Amino acid sequence: MVGKSEASKHCIGELCGEITDFSRLPSYGAARPPGLSSIMGGCGIAGCMDLNGGKIRGDKIARMLSIMSERENGLGSGYVAYGLFPDHKDEYCLQFFFDNEESMFAVEECLKKRGEITRDECVYTTNHTDIPLPHPMVWRYFFVPKSSSNPKYKDPDQCIVDLVMNINFSIHGAFCISSGKDMAVFKGNGFSYQIADYYDLSRYKAQMWCSHSRFPTNTPGWWAGAHPISLLDWSVCHNGEITSYGVNRKFVEMNGYKCTLLTDSEVITYTWDILVRKHGLPLQVAAFAMAPMYYRDMELMNDHNRQLAQQLRITYKEAFLNGPFSILVGRSRPEITMLAMADRKKLRPLIIGHNEDDGMIYAASEECAIRIADNDAYTWVTNPGNPMIARVGEGIIRYGTERPFEGAFNEQ
Amino acid sequence: MNSDMWKVPDRFRPVISSLCITCKKCIKECSYDVLEFNNGAIHAKHGCVACQRCVEMCPQDAIEIQRVPETMAPHGTYTERHRRAILSQANSGGVLLSSCGTDIPYNSIFDDLLLDAAQVTNPAIDPLRETVETKTYLGSRNGSLRLSSEGSFAVKPGCGIMMDMPVMLGHVSLGAVSYNTQKALFMAARRLNILAGTGEGGLHRDFREFAPHLNSEVASGRFGVNPDFLKDVASIEIKIGQGAKPGHGGHLPGEKVSDLISETRMIPLGTDALSPYPHHDIYSIEDLEQLIATLKEAVNYEHPVGVKIAAVHNIAAIASGAVRAGADFITLDGFRGGTGSTPRIIRDHAGIPIEAAVAVVDKRLTEEGLRNRVTLCAGGSIRSSADMIKMIALGADVVGVCTAALIAMGCRLCQSCHLGKCSWGIATQKPDLVSRMDPELGATRVVRLLSAWNEELKEILGAMGIDSVESLVGNRDRLRYIGPNPRIADIMGIKHAGEGWG
Ligand code: SF4
Ligand code: SF4
């Protein structure tokens, strides 16, 4: 596996008619492209979930994502699957990109110091692909952190967060791409259909899938930089450009996170972790911190909600995501959950679909993504800045058309 | 010629044209007694400060203030400015006083910064069609919001107030300016729903009605500070230093301590009002902590208590200390900021530019995880909405504006405030001069100015694809540097023009 990445930065192109000149851009695996300090661009997102907990094969999500072909240019795409490891539900599944063996050894040493690797395996990838080289090696570890008397690491989640941050920040050639329980990320530098083929997603069955394809503006392809961006069991697929990035980065840094991917999407992922896991906010309340209500609209709310909305906005003004976005957020705990929302001006598209008969829920940038999977699904759009939340076993918790905070406080 | 007091040449001279109808209005208007009537015509004596009052008031537009050409032999090192200062000091033997901000043309870093705008990948927003918000909070924050399962606050949120724009009128005390001027500023603050600083002189009883829009000052002289006053106002600011005179106190001479001032400051008529250089109960950070705690206690933790510090070399560490000592907001005052009276040596040579100060303080507080606990205010030399916007992008939540508001009300920046004869009725206590300031008109003009700035702020936010001002605060990614000294850009954490995001 290692060594597959040999040199050639400028290759392929001729093999696949759809690859344009973008393939001439250099490609990078786990290590950050030199000089890269931020990635911006447009994108497509798609997600599906079986509310009854049934399993969905990966080729379904690949079809949904790939049909939105105008939303990608071959510089990155990815998928995240939830409910993937019922037999390893209580272990953290850490998936890595490695550029070379040294980085792999360094990571393993690091992991062994902080816990136990209960199992490790190579993540399947095909040899038959036209994705431009190099291809980083993809490895999976099931990991249980050591219980520690050090209060800082008492919380296993915090231990994982620190471990991942440290590895991504300091081990050159290694990058942890997912670190949650019962979930895994499959991503890389290619078109959505190439990545689906590369990992052979049809071999995986999951209760929920989220996915992302990219149309970046002239930044090099970087495997680790592709979406979904994930930390613990959080995953974020993000279409948009956050105009407040400089402020949002301060928010996560103040809360002890290191920005290693330099994308606004990374900051969004960490923000969910801070607001929900660390500060204990209900999911939809956290959503309204990131897409806060206008002060004018707060005047129309009842006292309780107005005060909450105001304090949320004042306290978390650095978490306010300004500018256009639509995002899919996934989580596996306490139950597998999908959240889909757009910015408070609804400057990026988002459509939700639901089929009551088979309990499927869909969310995507374009309706075609839903229709190719299910012609009969009922579709609707969420209100600006208003989250749709659905959870396995519980159904649709919010349609994204309700008033803010409705049902927030018996939600969890 | 008085043998030991030599002439310092005038820099300005009124020139009266043939349009003059000798109505003599200008003679009455000139508070510096420069103009006289003889031989059937108006003549100028010496002493013109270019306050432009006569020019504004002349019904015939017959007056023009001209700059007197430099007449001393040119010299590269001993400029005329230096020689004038030497002559004045040899005349008086004293410290040279001046007012307003420094008149030395230091390079303004604001002018070396360019703002970003949205193109293609994110849409620009038209503030006339879409909501762009400029409401701003001033006060403490908790860094997190803890909610009970019913959705009520498990921990009491911070205390503070909302303003309609990210602007605060700076501190000008009654004493430094006239009753009518302070009233005009307070009226403007109320109409704009923002705060105005009271200055250090306490609050005149007539102005109690404005208290909900006032940021009161607890300065080293503690003039007028009492519990009632503190409980009335919106916020309380401990003044450690002022940008125009860091490390300096204040001195209102006895002759200016009129009935009005004596009553407001709570000192006997005709005595000098002296503000010590340091607070004599604050010789260290622990002492500051105690005063902050005392004031919070005095107002039942219902109003934010802040600390104002002048932008000096070690500003980042000092600001961080003040936050740790419990300050709910920090006000930074830059070295080009204004004042009613200051030793010229300090005004012109001490401190650092506010642009650098704000950026390093914002960075430092962020690194230390403190930035989301406080509101950062900054002022000193905000000449335009562009400066205000850049100040916000550099890291300020709230921008202090003072000199610009005074200019809107009539001040022409003649830098003679310390003489107490302001012809516009601003920096004076002389009743006939004070009556020249119409509070209603003054307030209207300040409201117009700041409303215009707020519209310009919305335009810029919209152009950047940002729909609320808080998303610009400290967003240094949206600034680029084009000046001569990229090192300062590095220090402030700003990229050079031409560098993209990737
Ligand atoms: S105010 Fe004008 S018109 Fe009247 S005396 Fe002076 S210069 Fe002449
Ligand atoms: S306030 Fe009056 S004296 Fe002071 S600079 Fe302005 S015009 Fe001149």
Side-chain angles (χ1 to χ4, degrees):
Chain A
M1 291 301 297
V2 175
K4 200 172 165 184
S5 58
E6 288 310 288
S8 171
K9 283 180 176 173
H10 311 279
C11 63
I12 306 276
E14 304 79 24
L15 296 177
C16 175
E18 277 177 78
I19 298 181
T20 64
D21 274 359
F22 290 118
S23 65
R24 304 243 175 88
L25 286 169
S27 178
Y28 297 85
R32 176 189 306 168
L36 180 66
S37 64
S38 130
I39 307 171
M40 299 288 166
C43 311
I45 54 177
C48 60
M49 165 191 231
D50 188 330
L51 294 172
N52 304 320
K55 298 271 189 166
I56 308 160
R57 240 176 50 182
D59 46 328
K60 181 169 181 175
I61 187 73
R63 278 202 310 281
M64 287 178 68
L65 185 63
S66 303
I67 187 85
M68 300 184 286
S69 58
E70 283 180 2
R71 298 192 162 267
E72 58 178 327
N73 62 4
L75 283 180
S77 175
Y79 302 82
V80 57
Y82 285 85
L84 206 49
F85 307 113
D87 302 337
H88 297 275
K89 247 184 144 164
D90 298 326
E91 294 144 66
Y92 291 92
C93 169
L94 308 182
Q95 290 204 150
F96 285 88
F97 284 150
F98 295 124
D99 283 344
N100 48 52
E101 270 158 349
E102 292 84 76
S103 59
M104 182 173 179
F105 294 148
V107 164
E108 289 186 356
E109 214 157 282
C110 203
L111 290 180
K112 282 175 191 156
K113 260 191 241 157
R114 303 277 278 275
E116 188 195 347
I117 299 170
T118 54
R119 179 191 155 120
D120 74 309
E121 60 199 14
C122 174
V123 174
Y124 172 84
T125 54
T126 176
N127 281 324
H128 306 286
T129 181
D130 45 16
I131 296 175
L133 292 171
H135 303 158
M137 183 176 127
V138 195
W139 208 268
R140 176 182 300 148
Y141 299 90
F142 287 98
F143 180 75
V144 181
K146 246 188 252 172
S147 56
S148 166
S149 50
N150 181 344
K152 207 181 148 201
Y153 296 121
K154 241 193 175 136
D155 173 14
D157 281 344
Q158 194 53 44
C159 176
I160 295 290
V161 169
D162 287 351
L163 195 59
V164 169
M165 296 271 152
N166 278 332
I167 288 173
N168 289 352
F169 195 72
S170 57
I171 301 183
H172 188 77
F175 208 98
C176 179
I177 56 166
S178 68
S179 50
K181 289 179 177 173
D182 204 15
M183 55 87 73
V185 166
F186 306 94
K187 64 183 186 179
N189 179 30
F191 283 97
S192 54
Y193 60 87
Q194 288 176 314
I195 299 298
D197 290 348
Y198 185 67
Y199 289 99
D200 185 21
L201 292 187
S202 57
R203 65 172 60 217
Y204 296 104
K205 283 182 171 173
Q207 289 162 307
M208 173 170 84
W209 288 90
C210 295
S211 64
H212 180 268
S213 58
R214 273 177 79 206
F215 195 136
T217 37
N218 211 19
T219 45
W222 179 27
W223 285 63
H227 293 207
I229 308 287
S230 183
L231 179 73
L232 294 173
D233 57 325
W234 294 105
S235 71
V236 171
C237 296
H238 162 224
N239 167 22
E241 184 172 306
I242 302 302
T243 53
S244 53
Y245 174 67
V247 179
N248 307 130
R249 192 184 53 209
K250 284 163 57 171
F251 178 71
V252 300
E253 285 173 355
M254 268 187 286
N255 283 282
Y257 293 70
K258 288 192 185 100
C259 290
T260 46
L261 283 166
L262 308 164
T263 65
D264 40 8
S265 324
E266 173 188 33
V267 160
I268 298 173
T269 310
Y270 301 164
T271 301
W272 282 104
D273 193 41
I274 296 166
L275 295 182
V276 179
R277 183 177 64 87
K278 288 187 142 178
H279 295 178
L281 296 183
L283 212 48
Q284 70 147 302
V285 175
F288 286 114
M290 293 187 220
M293 268 139 279
Y294 295 103
Y295 282 112
R296 188 190 55 208
D297 294 341
M298 290 180 199
E299 299 301 324
L300 307 172
M301 305 175 95
N302 66 31
D303 276 359
H304 171 270
N305 285 357
R306 187 178 54 250
Q307 277 178 19
L308 176 57
Q310 277 176 357
Q311 279 307 326
L312 207 53
R313 188 156 174 189
I314 289 167
T315 309
Y316 292 118
K317 70 176 187 172
E318 289 94 349
F320 176 178
L321 305 175
N322 217 308
F325 70 84
S326 53
I327 51 175
L328 288 183
V329 183
R331 237 205 142 179
S332 60
R333 294 175 298 178
E335 293 302 331
I336 292 173
T337 306
M338 178 193 289
L339 179 145
M341 68 185 287
D343 62 87
R344 66 179 195 155
K345 281 196 162 55
K346 197 100 194 265
L347 296 171
R348 286 286 155 99
L350 179 66
I351 182 164
I352 314 290
H354 178 214
N355 188 327
E356 267 184 43
D357 297 335
D358 61 5
M360 288 292 295
I361 186 110
Y362 304 95
S365 304
E366 295 180 18
E367 184 163 355
C368 63
I370 297 175
R371 290 297 165 223
I372 197 170
D374 185 342
N375 219 1
D376 302 325
Y378 167 75
T379 56
W380 73 93
V381 291
T382 58
N383 287 349
N386 205 324
M388 185 288 296
I389 303 173
R391 187 168 291 154
V392 168
E394 285 179 44
I396 300 172
I397 289 163
R398 265 185 89 79
Y399 285 82
T401 51
E402 299 86 342
R403 287 169 204 267
F405 309 135
E406 216 172 288
F409 297 103
N410 40 31
E411 185 195 335
Q412 280 187 336
Chain B
M1 188 225 283
N2 184 334
S3 59
D4 70 338
M5 296 281 272
W6 295 355
K7 278 183 197 156
V8 180
D10 273 343
R11 292 156 69 209
F12 309 99
R13 183 193 304 129
V15 175
I16 289 95
S17 81
S18 57
L19 295 172
C20 172
I21 51 169
T22 62
C23 68
K24 300 180 193 158
K25 187 159 174 48
C26 52
I27 298 179
K28 270 194 249 106
E29 292 292 335
C30 182
S31 55
Y32 300 94
D33 197 21
V34 172
L35 297 164
E36 64 183 3
F37 179 74
N38 59 37
N39 290 334
I42 306 291
H43 295 279
K45 296 181 282 187
H46 83 98
C48 177
V49 298
C51 73
Q52 309 280 344
R53 179 77 187 181
C54 58
V55 175
E56 183 69 37
M57 291 298 150
C58 170
Q60 288 295 98
D61 285 341
I63 310 182
E64 191 181 85
I65 306 291
Q66 288 185 352
R67 248 183 132 130
V68 178
E70 293 195 356
T71 47
M72 296 189 191
H75 193 282
T77 305
Y78 291 89
T79 62
E80 187 154 323
R81 188 176 194 276
H82 284 118
R83 278 176 279 173
R84 293 166 56 83
I86 291 171
L87 287 174
S88 302
Q89 274 185 312
N91 278 348
S92 68
V95 172
L96 290 178
L97 291 182
S98 190
S99 45
C100 309
T102 180
D103 59 347
I104 298 181
Y106 283 106
N107 173 40
S108 163
I109 304 173
F110 285 130
D111 297 339
D112 295 337
L113 298 175
L114 292 177
L115 298 161
D116 193 19
Q119 297 287 287
V120 186
T121 52
N122 57 46
I125 300 162
D126 177 353
L128 296 179
R129 291 164 187 266
E130 302 269 357
T131 309
V132 175
E133 297 183 292
T134 60
K135 262 193 187 298
T136 298
Y137 172 83
L138 184 146
S140 62
R141 302 193 289 153
N142 280 348
S144 68
L145 196 63
R146 303 288 171 174
L147 298 176
S148 70
S149 52
E150 299 84 50
S152 51
F153 302 127
V155 176
K156 189 172 172 267
C159 80
I161 40 151
M162 292 298 304
M163 308 191 291
D164 280 356
M165 55 178 95
V167 172
M168 179 158 84
L169 290 169
H171 285 282
V172 277
S173 64
L174 185 62
V177 297
S178 64
Y179 177 93
N180 286 3
T181 304
Q182 202 175 46
K183 183 169 180 189
L185 290 169
F186 290 177
M187 285 165 71
R190 185 162 66 182
R191 282 182 209 170
L192 291 163
N193 192 28
I194 58 172
L195 292 192
T198 60
E200 82 152 305
L203 187 61
H204 191 272
R205 65 181 136 76
D206 295 356
F207 296 156
R208 279 290 163 92
E209 56 168 316
F210 299 106
H213 290 95
L214 298 182
N215 175 30
S216 70
E217 186 164 274
V218 174
S220 59
R222 301 287 155 83
F223 297 117
V225 175
N226 66 68
D228 293 341
F229 162 64
L230 295 177
K231 274 184 188 144
D232 276 1
V233 291
S235 59
I236 299 162
E237 191 172 283
I238 299 170
K239 175 194 171 186
I240 299 295
Q242 182 177 344
K245 41 178 173 177
H248 200 265
H251 180 191
L252 192 66
E255 58 263 31
K256 285 195 185 171
V257 179
S258 58
D259 277 335
L260 185 82
I261 309 293
S262 110
E263 187 186 340
T264 313
R265 296 212 176 190
M266 302 177 178
I267 52 170
L269 195 68
T271 51
D272 284 12
L274 284 167
S275 298
Y277 286 32
H279 287 247
H280 281 305
D281 53 359
I282 304 179
Y283 282 11
S284 69
I285 196 84
E286 309 89 89
D287 296 342
L288 176 64
E289 189 167 8
Q290 280 181 8
L291 180 60
I292 293 173
T294 308
L295 290 170
K296 285 185 175 177
E297 192 71 36
V299 297
N300 290 326
Y301 301 86
E302 277 161 11
H303 304 292
V305 175
V307 176
K308 172 175 166 180
I309 31 188
V312 290
H313 300 186
N314 199 25
I315 187 70
I318 298 168
S320 155
V323 176
R324 288 169 198 281
D328 296 328
F329 63 98
I330 298 285
T331 303
L332 303 175
D333 197 13
F335 90 121
R336 287 194 303 269
T339 174
S341 174
T342 174
R344 218 159 94 172
I345 172 92
I346 297 186
R347 183 195 71 176
D348 292 347
H349 300 284
I352 63 169
I354 190 66
E355 301 93 319
V358 169
V360 298
V361 168
D362 182 66
K363 264 174 37 179
R364 177 70 164 261
L365 294 180
T366 303
E367 281 160 19
E368 297 186 358
L370 297 170
R371 184 63 182 86
N372 54 1
R373 307 304 161 108
V374 285
T375 300
L376 184 57
C377 311
S381 70
I382 300 302
R383 305 158 298 176
S384 63
S385 58
D387 288 356
M388 168 180 86
I389 292 160
K390 290 170 186 175
M391 187 85 108
I392 293 169
L394 284 169
D397 295 291
V398 177
V399 179
V401 172
C402 192
T403 303
L406 294 178
I407 293 174
M409 292 163 69
C411 166
R412 299 298 156 96
L413 228 51
C414 69
Q415 303 177 68
S416 310
C417 311
H418 57 293
L419 301 177
K421 295 196 276 191
C422 176
S423 62
W424 293 89
I426 298 172
T428 180
Q429 302 303 327
K430 295 188 193 315
D432 57 320
L433 296 178
V434 172
S435 67
R436 293 179 179 185
M437 170 60 65
D438 171 4
E440 178 55 42
L441 179 67
T444 303
R445 294 182 61 84
V446 173
V447 169
R448 281 190 203 144
L449 174 79
L450 293 182
S451 305
W453 284 17
N454 201 44
E455 286 310 308
E456 287 173 334
L457 168 63
K458 288 184 188 175
E459 291 286 344
I460 285 286
L461 289 173
M464 287 186 175
I466 292 177
D467 76 350
S468 185
V469 69
E470 65 252 50
S471 293
L472 183 64
V473 176
N475 200 343
R476 289 181 288 274
D477 283 5
R478 310 303 299 272
L479 290 172
R480 287 295 181 273
Y481 183 79
I482 51 157
N485 177 10
R487 167 116 171 89
I488 190 74
D490 262 3
I491 289 171
M492 297 196 297
I494 296 170
K495 287 185 176 165
H496 201 275
E499 290 183 276
W501 288 0

